[in-house]
């Protein structure tokens, strides 16, 4: 008894794997899904400036910035930990999932980073972590009653302590098929996918042999 896999299915799987591995390289939708892309779309009080972070590592940003020059990186360090200020984006309609890059110490006492629903003034904290000097991608799933309502991004630096700064990027929409911008994670996913797709076939083949 011969076990064969249709060429059509092999081709389909190969295409799917390519899409997963390449991600943004093949489907650069982020550039069309950026909210508050202009500097003038933000209200700034105090020390927040574009590229105002302290010596940060931007490796994680490369895939996004390559496809969307509209994404701005705001931070409150701007030359000194003693700088303070408030950054507020213009209002936009909330998608199902919002992506942001964050840096610094948004959870130090006095600092805040959250999404605000305009109509209710309710807040949704962006992260419970402090990414330090490494920009980190964060995805926020909107509650059902937030989707398609007016929201905005708010960042507050109200501490002058050492490393008391924070930063945030222009927000963008995240789609269900985007498995993240980390290539290693995509490779893991592909291996798991191949295992589940071919495991039954391989078991039968081993038994046959």
């Amino acid at each position: 008894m011969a076990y064969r896999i249709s060429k059509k299915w092999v081709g389909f799987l190969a295409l799917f794997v390519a899409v997963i591995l390449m991600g943004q390289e093949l489907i650069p939708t982020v550039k069309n899904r950026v909210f508050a892309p202009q500097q003038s779309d933000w209200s700034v009080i105090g020390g927040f400036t574009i590229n105002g972070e302290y010596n940060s590592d931007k490796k994680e940003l490369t895939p996004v910035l390559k496809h969307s020059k509209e994404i701005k990186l705001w931070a409150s360090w701007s030359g000194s930990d003693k700088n303070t200020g408030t950054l507020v984006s213009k209002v936009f309609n909330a998608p199902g999932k919002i992506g942001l890059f964050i840096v610094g110490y948004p959870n130090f006492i006095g600092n805040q980073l959250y999404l605000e629903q305009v109509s209710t003034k309710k807040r949704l904290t962006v992260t419970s972590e402090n990414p330090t000097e490494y920009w980190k991608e964060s995805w926020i799933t909107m509650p059902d009653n937030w989707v398609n309502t007016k929201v905005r991004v708010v960042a507050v630096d109200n501490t002058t302590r050492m490393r008391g700064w924070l930063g945030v990027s222009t927000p963008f929409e995240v789609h269900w098929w985007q498995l993240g911008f980390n290539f290693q994670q995509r490779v893991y996913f592909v291996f798991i996918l191949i295992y589940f797709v071919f495991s039954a076939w391989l078991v039968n083949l081993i038994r046959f042999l």
Side-chain angles (χ1 to χ4, degrees):
M1 181 178 179
Y3 289 87
R4 294 182 180 179
I5 301 176
S6 167
K7 291 181 179 180
K8 179 178 70 175
W9 284 107
V10 171
F12 175 78
L13 181 62
L15 177 61
F16 184 74
V17 167
V19 169
I20 295 301
L21 291 179
M22 297 299 290
Q24 293 300 109
E25 299 294 329
L26 293 181
I27 315 176
T29 59
V30 171
K31 67 180 181 182
N32 298 321
R33 298 290 184 175
V34 173
F35 308 107
Q38 304 301 321
Q39 186 170 349
S40 58
D41 291 333
W42 297 78
S43 172
V44 184
I45 299 175
F48 279 92
T49 59
I50 292 177
N51 298 324
E53 70 275 11
Y54 172 79
N55 244 359
S56 66
D57 186 338
K58 295 187 175 69
K59 284 192 297 185
E60 289 293 317
L61 296 170
T62 303
V64 176
L65 297 181
K66 180 178 179 180
H67 288 295
S68 184
K69 304 301 182 183
E70 294 179 317
I71 291 182
K72 303 292 190 300
L73 306 176
W74 293 88
S76 62
W77 182 72
S78 304
S80 173
D81 290 324
K82 293 185 178 181
N83 285 327
T84 60
T86 301
L87 177 73
V88 182
S89 76
K90 76 171 186 178
V91 171
F92 58 92
N93 289 326
K97 184 173 289 188
I98 292 176
L100 288 166
F101 283 94
I102 54 177
V103 73
Y105 304 84
N107 289 294
F108 272 11
I109 295 175
N111 291 349
Q112 300 178 70
L113 179 59
Y114 58 88
L115 291 165
E116 181 184 60
Q117 188 178 42
V118 176
S119 61
T120 64
K121 302 301 181 183
K122 290 182 177 179
R123 299 178 178 183
L124 198 61
T125 301
V126 170
T127 180
S128 59
E129 302 177 10
N130 290 312
T132 68
E133 282 72 36
Y134 297 88
W135 283 96
K136 179 179 179 181
E137 185 180 0
S138 180
W139 290 356
I140 308 95
T141 300
M142 295 293 99
D144 290 341
N145 60 353
W146 282 51
V147 177
N148 293 322
T149 66
K150 302 294 184 182
V151 300
R152 57 188 160 211
V153 178
V154 180
V156 178
D157 180 342
N158 195 30
T159 179
T160 57
R161 64 177 287 186
M162 183 178 179
R163 297 178 179 173
W165 61 278
L166 69 148
V168 65
S169 77
T170 305
F172 55 89
E173 183 175 10
V174 177
H175 296 277
W176 66 268
W177 45 261
Q178 289 176 294
L179 300 178
F181 304 111
N182 186 312
F183 183 81
Q184 186 178 20
Q185 292 175 350
R186 294 178 190 156
V187 171
Y188 290 157
F189 176 82
V190 167
F191 276 116
I192 293 171
L193 175 68
I194 291 174
Y195 171 79
F196 280 107
V197 169
F198 290 105
S199 59
W201 178 82
L202 287 173
V203 167
N204 288 330
L205 179 59
I206 292 171
R207 287 175 179 172
F208 175 76
L209 295 175

